[in-house]
Amino acid sequence: MEIWINPACSKCRSAISLLDAEGADYTVRRYLEDVPSEDEIRDVLDRLGLEPWDITRTQEAEAKELGLKEWPRDDSSRARWINALAEHPKLIQRPIITADDGTAVVGRTDEAVRDALSR
């Protein structure tokens, strides 16, 4: 199991605390420093069953500068969104936990983290 975190994020710290309390075996990826490639983002999206706009933090200053709220959300725009996430990793929703069964969850709640642990 791997968890993508921003150490400054309280949701990320909560998820780590819960994983530790449950004795989970996981690795931490500080995705702002170890930026995921477009292929890795595609893989995580497939594992999540989501589209790139579903995991984009549209309230971030960078998102506003890029005008992301105005971007189309369709198949023809998917690559553009993925590129934006790779170029601006701060826009990626966090934390993302890749579960041992090949799926992933956005672990913003204790329930989501426990869901990843049960997989």
Side-chain angles (χ1 to χ4, degrees):
M1 165 178 322
E2 181 177 78
I3 181 169
W4 292 7
I5 69 159
N6 173 351
C9 168
S10 63
K11 300 279 186 193
C12 294
R13 293 191 305 270
S14 291
I16 293 286
S17 293
L18 183 54
L19 291 174
D20 288 344
E22 296 293 327
D25 182 24
Y26 65 93
T27 57
V28 170
R29 180 170 187 171
R30 293 180 178 208
Y31 71 93
L32 297 179
E33 299 163 15
D34 182 9
V35 178
S37 68
E38 289 185 26
D39 285 341
E40 289 174 304
I41 293 169
R42 278 187 208 88
D43 178 60
V44 162
L45 288 167
D46 289 345
R47 293 174 81 163
L48 287 166
L50 297 173
E51 293 296 336
W53 44 86
D54 297 326
I55 66 162
T56 300
R57 299 172 57 84
T58 58
Q59 297 303 314
E60 292 288 337
E62 290 177 38
K64 291 176 181 177
E65 288 171 18
L66 293 169
L68 288 182
K69 283 193 173 184
E70 309 307 318
W71 288 15
R73 297 177 181 211
D74 56 27
D75 283 343
S76 66
S77 301
R78 191 172 198 265
R80 181 180 183 198
W81 282 85
I82 290 169
N83 177 264
L85 293 174
E87 293 290 321
H88 307 275
K90 191 173 185 181
L91 299 178
I92 299 172
Q93 190 59 263
R94 61 194 182 246
I96 293 177
I97 303 169
T98 56
D100 291 336
D101 70 351
T103 62
V105 298
V106 178
R108 295 194 56 78
T109 65
D110 287 352
E111 294 78 23
V113 175
R114 284 191 181 93
D115 182 36
L117 284 167
S118 70
R119 296 178 182 199

